[in-house]
Amino acid sequence: YVQRLRYYLPQLKEKGIKKIGLVLNCGVDAAKSLVEMLDLETDATASDSESVAVELFVDPFGEAGRKFGVGTGWRPEDDEMSPYVKLFGMLFGLGAWATLPAVIGGYIGNPFYGQPWIEDATAVGQMKGRWPNTALELDETTGEVKVNKFKELPYVGSWERRPLELATLRLQNMMDISIKNWKDLAPTETALKAGVLTQLGGCVVVDCKTGDELFRWRDPGICAVANFEDILKDIN
């Protein structure tokens, strides 16, 4: 969600979204570290917090998400099973039916529906020295993308989302964000017992004048997060 929000923030502002709350199931230090790793300015990390549209909130035990009705994963009532075993089961769709389709989609791509945020997030990762770091050729001064090598693939290079493009970004996230920074980002034992490791996410857009919901999404699986292109269409 953080990487998508970074890319779509200007477009959301153009559509009249003036206040955005980002709720992370972690402690304060972990939340600040994550948004800084992904180059998303928030009120908690920017030098001029008043000019930033994104407010950063922490919900270490996932209480707000559960009240919103997000998925709680596989066997949430089982206090004896390790949360890591539960997470492993979810990777195969247990308690999170959309995980496998979402993961497989990252490998095979999609010729019809693009997700332009992927290139932006990959570029940020490469600028910060994350691996894999050969998918894009970047301007050394500005960081702008000069060449996207996925677009040069035969036959599928013209697809809206090229095969392996999203999978490469996910590998970059896993290797050089999640694993490398696990000690800083990992939930506490108390949070693990509360179920945050297997709790899924969600997104809601509300008209602050009327209180009407313009968009609502609860993730049906790991990696099956809200499509911001759909959000832009729904709030148009």
Side-chain angles (χ1 to χ4, degrees):
Y1 274 101
V2 177
Q3 291 173 319
R4 295 174 190 237
L5 181 56
R6 171 194 144 80
Y7 176 81
Y8 284 102
L9 188 56
Q11 296 178 61
L12 291 170
K13 288 180 178 179
E14 289 178 3
K15 295 289 186 179
I17 302 296
K18 298 178 180 179
K19 187 174 182 179
I20 298 171
L22 174 64
V23 184
L24 299 178
N25 296 149
C26 60
V28 173
D29 291 340
K32 289 181 178 179
S33 295
L34 181 64
V35 296
E36 287 173 348
M37 288 177 195
L38 300 178
D39 266 6
L40 176 67
E41 278 199 340
T42 71
D43 64 325
T45 55
S47 56
D48 181 12
S49 60
E50 294 184 1
S51 63
V52 179
V54 180
E55 293 186 59
L56 183 63
F57 297 90
V58 294
D59 180 24
F61 306 125
E63 296 173 5
R66 289 192 293 275
K67 289 181 179 178
F68 179 59
V70 300
T72 51
W74 182 42
R75 301 179 68 87
E77 73 292 339
D78 189 343
D79 295 329
E80 301 299 322
M81 181 179 288
S82 165
Y84 297 100
V85 173
K86 294 179 183 180
L87 181 63
F88 184 74
M90 290 175 66
L91 295 176
F92 295 93
L94 298 175
W97 69 267
T99 298
L100 282 177
V103 171
I104 292 171
Y107 289 95
I108 64 175
N110 192 309
F112 306 110
Y113 299 103
Q115 294 191 24
W117 66 273
I118 299 171
E119 183 178 87
D120 177 74
T122 303
V124 169
Q126 287 193 199
M127 287 290 290
K128 290 181 176 291
R130 297 186 188 122
W131 183 88
N133 58 0
T134 57
L136 307 175
E137 291 183 10
L138 305 177
D139 185 290
E140 294 182 0
T141 304
T142 65
E144 292 184 3
V145 178
K146 295 194 297 183
V147 177
N148 182 336
K149 295 179 182 178
F150 288 106
K151 293 182 179 180
E152 298 181 335
L153 291 172
Y155 304 112
V156 297
S158 60
W159 284 16
E160 290 294 323
R161 190 177 81 228
R162 277 68 58 180
L164 299 177
E165 189 172 22
L166 180 53
T168 299
L169 173 62
R170 288 172 176 166
L171 178 60
Q172 192 184 83
N173 288 344
M174 181 180 70
M175 296 297 296
D176 275 356
I177 295 180
S178 299
I179 294 177
K180 183 176 288 186
N181 301 281
W182 179 248
K183 288 184 178 180
D184 296 326
L185 301 178
T188 64
E189 285 299 320
T190 305
L192 284 174
K193 291 179 180 178
V196 298
L197 186 67
T198 54
Q199 183 167 310
L200 300 172
C203 179
V204 63
V205 181
V206 178
D207 187 326
C208 61
K209 294 181 180 179
T210 65
D212 294 337
E213 285 189 7
L214 305 180
F215 180 89
R216 173 186 283 253
W217 177 268
R218 300 184 186 92
D219 300 354
I222 298 171
C223 296
V225 305
N227 187 329
F228 277 58
E229 295 289 339
D230 292 337
I231 294 177
L232 292 174
K233 292 177 182 177
D234 284 2
I235 66 175
N236 191 17

Coordinates of all heavy atoms in Angstrom, one line a residue, residues 71-76 82-88 90 95-96 192 194-200 222:
G71 N -9.6 -9.1 6.9 CA -9.4 -10.5 7.1 C -8.4 -10.8 8.1 O -7.4 -10.1 8.3
T72 N -8.6 -11.8 8.9 CA -7.7 -12.2 10.0 C -6.9 -13.4 9.7 O -6.3 -14.0 10.6 CB -8.5 -12.3 11.3 OG1 -9.6 -13.2 11.2 CG2 -9.0 -11.0 11.8
G73 N -6.9 -13.9 8.5 CA -6.1 -15.0 8.1 C -6.6 -16.4 8.5 O -7.8 -16.6 8.8
W74 N -5.7 -17.3 8.5 CA -6.0 -18.7 8.7 C -5.9 -19.0 10.2 O -5.0 -18.7 10.9 CB -5.0 -19.6 8.0 CG -5.2 -21.0 8.1 CD1 -6.4 -21.7 8.0 CD2 -4.2 -22.1 8.3 NE1 -6.2 -23.0 8.1 CE2 -4.9 -23.3 8.3 CE3 -2.8 -22.0 8.4 CZ2 -4.2 -24.5 8.5 CZ3 -2.1 -23.2 8.6 CH2 -2.8 -24.4 8.6
R75 N -7.0 -19.6 10.7 CA -7.1 -20.1 12.1 C -6.8 -19.0 13.1 O -5.9 -19.2 14.0 CB -6.2 -21.3 12.3 CG -6.5 -22.5 11.4 CD -5.5 -23.7 11.7 NE -5.8 -24.3 13.0 CZ -6.7 -25.2 13.3 NH1 -7.4 -25.7 12.3 NH2 -6.8 -25.7 14.5
P76 N -7.5 -17.9 13.0 CA -7.2 -16.8 13.9 C -7.5 -17.1 15.4 O -6.9 -16.5 16.3 CB -8.1 -15.6 13.4 CG -9.2 -16.3 12.7 CD -8.5 -17.5 12.1
S82 N 1.7 -21.7 15.8 CA 2.6 -20.6 15.6 C 2.1 -19.7 14.5 O 1.6 -20.1 13.5 CB 4.0 -21.1 15.1 OG 4.8 -20.1 14.6
P83 N 2.2 -18.3 14.7 CA 1.7 -17.4 13.7 C 2.5 -17.6 12.4 O 2.0 -17.2 11.3 CB 1.9 -16.0 14.3 CG 2.9 -16.3 15.4 CD 2.6 -17.6 15.9
Y84 N 3.7 -18.0 12.4 CA 4.5 -18.2 11.2 C 4.0 -19.4 10.4 O 4.1 -19.4 9.2 CB 6.0 -18.4 11.6 CG 6.6 -17.2 12.3 CD1 6.7 -17.1 13.7 CD2 7.0 -16.1 11.5 CE1 7.2 -16.0 14.3 CE2 7.5 -14.9 12.1 CZ 7.6 -14.9 13.5 OH 8.1 -13.8 14.1
V85 N 3.5 -20.4 11.1 CA 2.9 -21.6 10.4 C 1.6 -21.1 9.8 O 1.3 -21.5 8.6 CB 2.6 -22.7 11.4 CG1 1.9 -23.9 10.7 CG2 3.9 -23.3 12.0
K86 N 0.9 -20.3 10.5 CA -0.4 -19.8 9.9 C -0.1 -19.0 8.6 O -0.7 -19.1 7.6 CB -1.1 -18.9 10.9 CG -1.6 -19.6 12.1 CD -2.3 -18.6 13.1 CE -2.8 -19.2 14.4 NZ -3.4 -18.2 15.3
L87 N 1.0 -18.1 8.7 CA 1.4 -17.3 7.5 C 1.8 -18.2 6.4 O 1.4 -17.9 5.2 CB 2.5 -16.4 7.9 CG 3.0 -15.5 6.8 CD1 1.9 -14.5 6.4 CD2 4.2 -14.7 7.3
F88 N 2.5 -19.3 6.7 CA 2.9 -20.2 5.6 C 1.7 -20.8 4.9 O 1.6 -20.9 3.7 CB 3.8 -21.3 6.2 CG 4.4 -22.3 5.2 CD1 5.4 -21.9 4.3 CD2 3.8 -23.5 5.0 CE1 5.9 -22.7 3.4 CE2 4.3 -24.4 4.1 CZ 5.4 -24.0 3.2
M90 N -1.2 -19.5 4.7 CA -1.9 -18.5 3.9 C -1.3 -18.3 2.6 O -2.0 -17.8 1.6 CB -1.9 -17.1 4.7 CG -2.8 -17.2 5.9 SD -2.7 -15.7 6.9 CE -3.4 -14.4 5.8
G95 N -7.3 -19.4 4.4 CA -7.8 -18.2 5.1 C -7.5 -17.0 4.3 O -7.8 -15.9 4.8
A96 N -7.1 -17.1 3.1 CA -6.8 -16.0 2.2 C -6.8 -16.4 0.8 O -5.8 -16.6 0.1 CB -5.4 -15.4 2.6
L192 N 2.3 -10.4 18.0 CA 2.1 -11.7 17.3 C 1.0 -12.4 17.9 O 0.2 -13.0 17.2 CB 3.4 -12.5 17.5 CG 4.6 -12.1 16.6 CD1 5.8 -12.9 17.0 CD2 4.3 -12.3 15.1
A194 N -1.6 -11.1 19.2 CA -2.8 -10.4 18.8 C -3.2 -10.7 17.3 O -4.3 -10.4 16.9 CB -2.6 -8.9 18.9
G195 N -2.3 -11.4 16.6 CA -2.6 -11.8 15.2 C -2.2 -10.9 14.1 O -2.7 -11.1 13.0
V196 N -1.3 -9.9 14.4 CA -1.1 -8.9 13.3 C -0.2 -9.5 12.1 O -0.3 -9.0 11.0 CB -0.3 -7.7 13.8 CG1 -1.2 -7.0 14.9 CG2 1.0 -8.1 14.4
L197 N 0.5 -10.6 12.4 CA 1.3 -11.2 11.3 C 0.5 -11.7 10.2 O 0.9 -11.6 9.0 CB 2.2 -12.3 11.9 CG 3.3 -12.8 10.9 CD1 4.3 -11.8 10.5 CD2 3.9 -14.1 11.4
T198 N -0.7 -12.2 10.5 CA -1.6 -12.8 9.5 C -2.8 -11.9 9.2 O -3.7 -12.4 8.4 CB -2.0 -14.2 9.9 OG1 -2.6 -14.1 11.3 CG2 -0.9 -15.2 10.0
Q199 N -2.9 -10.8 9.8 CA -4.0 -9.9 9.5 C -3.8 -9.2 8.2 O -2.7 -8.6 7.9 CB -4.2 -8.9 10.7 CG -5.4 -8.0 10.5 CD -5.7 -7.3 11.8 OE1 -5.8 -7.9 12.9 NE2 -5.9 -5.9 11.7
L200 N -4.8 -9.1 7.4 CA -4.8 -8.5 6.1 C -5.1 -7.0 6.2 O -5.5 -6.5 7.3 CB -5.7 -9.2 5.1 CG -5.4 -10.7 4.9 CD1 -6.5 -11.4 4.1 CD2 -4.0 -10.9 4.3
I222 N -3.1 -12.3 0.7 CA -1.8 -11.6 0.7 C -1.4 -11.1 -0.7 O -1.7 -11.9 -1.7 CB -0.7 -12.6 1.2 CG1 -1.0 -13.1 2.6 CG2 0.7 -12.0 1.1 CD1 -0.1 -14.2 3.1

